[in-house]
């Protein structure tokens, strides 16, 4: 059961290897909805170790007494700005949130543009989360830190 949950989580996560496909999918969503992209940025927000249990991706650090897992948490910020009809904007939002990506909404704004052809502007700011296998085991990091302190 745990392996299945992990596979599901990894499939929904957005690590650095998946950011380009996320960008392509967002462009496709806006175009399919009949909207126009004004701005799209995806930037790395940071990485940190992921705890074996009790970790929350919204926190900046591993839980105080948490044991590090074999995974690294990656975060990316997405800023999407698009124009379109009210129906286009509704479709864009519906499609973005139906992708199943691990994310939180940091900001969502809709304002009128004053332009008849695309009367609504939407600005969406998301934080995407992704897990990947840590190339170094936590024990190796600990051992390395021990060796470095003895060399000083």
């Amino acid at each position: 059961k745990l392996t299945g949950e992990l596979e599901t989580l990894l499939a929904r996560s957005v690590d650095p290897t998946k950011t380009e496909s996320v960008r392509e999918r967002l462009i496709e969503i806006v175009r399919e909805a009949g909207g126009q992209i004004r701005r799209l940025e995806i930037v790395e927000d940071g990485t940190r170790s992921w705890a074996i249990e009790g970790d929350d991706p919204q926190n900046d650090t591993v839980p105080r007494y948490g044991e590090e897992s074999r995974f690294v948490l990656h975060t990316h910020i997405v800023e999407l700005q698009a124009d379109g009809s009210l129906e286009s904007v509704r479709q864009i939002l519906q499609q973005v949130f139906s992708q199943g990506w691990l994310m939180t909404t940091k900001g969502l704004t809709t304002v009128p543009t004053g332009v008849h052809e695309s009367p609504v502007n939407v600005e969406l700011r998301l934080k995407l989360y992704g897990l990947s296998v840590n190339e170094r085991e936590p024990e190796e990091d600990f051992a390395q830190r021990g060796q470095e302190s003895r060399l000083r």
Side-chain angles (χ1 to χ4, degrees), residues 61-91:
T61 60
V62 175
R64 179 175 234 158
Y65 300 106
E67 183 180 343
E68 291 182 12
S69 72
R70 62 187 178 105
F71 295 98
V72 174
L73 175 70
H74 302 270
T75 55
H76 293 84
I77 298 293
V78 174
E79 293 187 7
L80 172 66
Q81 185 176 8
D83 293 346
S85 66
L86 187 57
E87 178 59 21
S88 294
V89 168
R90 186 193 67 74
Q91 286 179 25

Side-chain angles (χ1 to χ4, degrees), residues 3-59:
T3 302
E5 289 176 7
L6 179 60
E7 288 174 3
T8 301
L9 185 64
L10 291 175
R12 294 181 58 205
S13 73
V14 179
D15 63 34
T17 65
K18 296 180 182 177
T19 56
E20 192 56 39
S21 65
V22 168
R23 177 185 308 282
E24 290 169 6
R25 182 63 186 131
L26 288 169
I27 292 168
E28 187 178 291
I29 287 170
V30 173
R31 287 184 179 152
E32 287 175 354
Q36 296 178 329
I37 292 179
R38 297 294 175 214
R39 184 169 56 103
L40 175 57
E41 293 180 33
I42 302 177
V43 295
E44 186 173 342
D45 188 45
T47 60
R48 69 168 176 83
S49 297
W50 181 252
I52 289 177
E53 62 183 348
D55 205 338
D56 182 345
Q58 296 181 59
N59 293 337

